[in-house]
């Protein structure tokens, strides 16, 4: 795969549940069409010229050297590091990306820094050998493969994603599922409960609406509809002892309220 060199790697993020983060790949072959916010930003700031360009990932070849330099300096400030916000650390079919992610996580853990990772690829079983303070997540917005082919064309099939996460769970790892961006019925008719049942083993579930999408916004009473689903997620998590987090803007009645875990965090 193509490579690039960067000047820095770890940075503090302003996003909802983040502390520090790292993005050691530019672009992402998963090519999500909801659309991908990271791609929109990359196009805006000239890091990707088109969708096709975005879908051709470039690995940051000096990632580990940068971490060796930055970890000792930033360690006192870092609570956790998240992989990744603007790419996927376990990009489906890109073993070089997965190998680099695992090595980066080893370095962070060696400095007693816990890591969270979120992927639409396959989480490798070797993650179970790393610190059990880490937590591993998958994004899962449907179980319908024909929808996956439209929305996340380059990502791993849903059942394979779930199976990889379940294996880590069975090895004692902390696991979570991000059901975001959840599609409205005018994109796909599906039963949220079936998705929840499939991942009821997870320690934590995050649920969020789809933003920046005209089709979703045009669905009648979309806010009320998301509100009802968010309550369904909360009830399901409550009944199954799963920690739950509803993303800002999804629960209509507390639209702009500070977002906080609704049940004790599993992380
Ligand atoms: S997996 Fe994430 S970074 Fe990759 S295309 Fe999809 S939304 Fe964008």
């Amino acid at each position: 795969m193509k490579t690039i060199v960067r000047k820095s790697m770890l940075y503090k993020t302003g996003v909802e549940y983040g502390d520090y983060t790292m993005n050691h790949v530019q672009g992402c072959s998963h090519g999500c069409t909801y659309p991908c916010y990271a791609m929109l930003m990359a196009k805006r700031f000239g890091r990707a010229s088109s969708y096709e360009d975005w879908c051709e990932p470039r690995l940051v070849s000096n990632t580990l050297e940068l971490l060796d330099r930055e970890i000792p300096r930033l360690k006192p400030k870092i609570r956790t590091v998240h992989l990744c916000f603007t790419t996927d650390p376990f990009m489906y079919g890109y073993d070089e990306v997965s190998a680099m992610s695992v090595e980066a996580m080893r370095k962070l853990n060696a400095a007693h820094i816990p890591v969270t990772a979120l992927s639409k690829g396959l989480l490798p079983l070797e993650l179970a050998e790393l610190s059990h303070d880490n937590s591993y997540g998958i994004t899962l917005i449907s179980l319908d493969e024909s929808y996956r082919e439209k929305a996340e064309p380059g990502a791993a099939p849903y059942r394979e994603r779930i199976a990889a996460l379940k294996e880590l769970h069975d090895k004692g790892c902390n696991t979570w599922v991000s059901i975001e961006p959840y599609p409205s019925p005018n994109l796909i008719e599906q039963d949220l409960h079936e998705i929840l049942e499939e991942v009821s083993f997870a320690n934590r579930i995050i649920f969020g609406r789809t933003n920046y999408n005209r089709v979703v916004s045009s669905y009648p009473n979309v806010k009320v509809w998301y509100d009802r689903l968010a309550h369904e997620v909360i009830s399901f998590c409550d009944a199954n002892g799963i920690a739950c987090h509803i993303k800002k803007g999804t629960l209509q009645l507390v639209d702009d309220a500070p977002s906080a875990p609704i049940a004790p965090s599993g992380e």
Side-chain angles (χ1 to χ4, degrees):
M1 72 186 289
K2 289 185 179 170
T3 59
I4 54 169
V5 172
R6 285 226 178 110
K7 290 189 177 144
S8 62
M9 183 54 57
L10 293 167
Y11 69 95
K12 183 139 175 93
T13 170
V15 307
E16 201 173 330
Y17 52 92
D19 182 36
Y20 273 75
T21 187
M22 56 176 279
N23 299 293
H24 52 298
V25 184
Q26 183 171 296
C28 181
S29 64
H30 292 167
C32 303
T33 56
Y34 348 99
C36 165
Y37 183 73
M39 181 193 73
L40 296 179
M41 289 300 106
K43 280 167 81 173
R44 186 166 161 192
F45 293 106
R47 292 191 300 273
S49 56
S50 62
Y51 174 80
E52 291 70 25
D53 187 32
W54 170 257
C55 290
E56 193 176 344
R58 282 111 166 142
L59 185 66
V60 179
S61 60
N62 61 335
T63 297
L64 301 177
E65 291 87 330
L66 289 171
L67 289 178
D68 284 339
R69 221 163 57 207
E70 293 174 6
I71 289 172
R73 180 167 51 83
L74 294 170
K75 192 177 153 181
K77 297 183 190 166
I78 300 178
R79 207 166 21 90
T80 59
V81 173
H82 179 71
L83 279 72
C84 300
F85 277 116
T86 67
T87 188
D88 195 299
F90 297 101
M91 210 173 284
Y92 193 50
Y94 283 84
D95 292 346
E96 307 97 307
V97 173
S98 295
M100 185 79 92
S101 298
V102 172
E103 277 317 298
M105 291 161 86
R106 274 191 215 283
K107 281 190 186 293
L108 291 160
N109 285 169
H112 306 289
I113 299 170
V115 174
T116 62
L118 178 65
S119 182
K120 296 183 184 85
L122 300 181
L123 294 163
L125 195 52
E126 64 187 305
L127 292 178
E129 296 158 14
L130 305 187
S131 167
H132 277 212
D133 290 333
N134 294 345
S135 62
Y136 308 118
I138 57 165
T139 300
L140 188 74
I141 54 170
S142 178
L143 297 170
D144 184 327
E145 276 302 301
S146 59
Y147 183 69
R148 201 238 346 123
E149 280 164 22
K150 273 189 264 173
E152 303 167 348
Y158 293 133
R159 302 277 175 192
E160 291 183 32
R161 268 183 240 182
I162 299 168
L165 188 72
K166 179 77 167 48
E167 278 198 83
L168 290 174
H169 165 82
D170 292 345
K171 291 275 181 191
C173 298
N174 215 329
T175 55
W176 54 292
V177 176
S178 172
I179 305 180
E180 189 203 15
Y182 194 75
S184 51
N186 53 347
L187 282 173
I188 179 175
E189 287 278 0
Q190 59 180 5
D191 183 355
L192 174 62
H193 194 77
E194 279 179 24
I195 299 173
L196 292 170
E197 284 290 350
E198 285 292 327
V199 295
S200 60
F201 62 86
N203 300 93
R204 190 178 196 209
I205 290 178
I206 292 172
F207 180 74
R209 60 164 293 164
T210 299
N211 293 306
Y212 316 109
N213 184 307
R214 281 198 199 120
V215 179
V216 174
S217 308
S218 71
Y219 184 68
N221 292 322
V222 68
K223 282 190 168 188
V224 177
W225 182 78
Y226 273 122
D227 200 74
R228 186 173 58 73
L229 261 57
H231 281 104
E232 185 180 336
V233 174
I234 292 165
S235 302
F236 181 88
C237 289
D238 236 17
N240 290 280
I242 301 168
C244 177
H245 179 87
I246 306 296
K247 293 292 290 286
K248 269 187 191 170
T250 303
L251 203 52
Q252 192 196 26
L253 297 176
V254 289
D255 224 14
D256 294 317
S259 164
I262 287 163
S265 168
E267 291 174 27

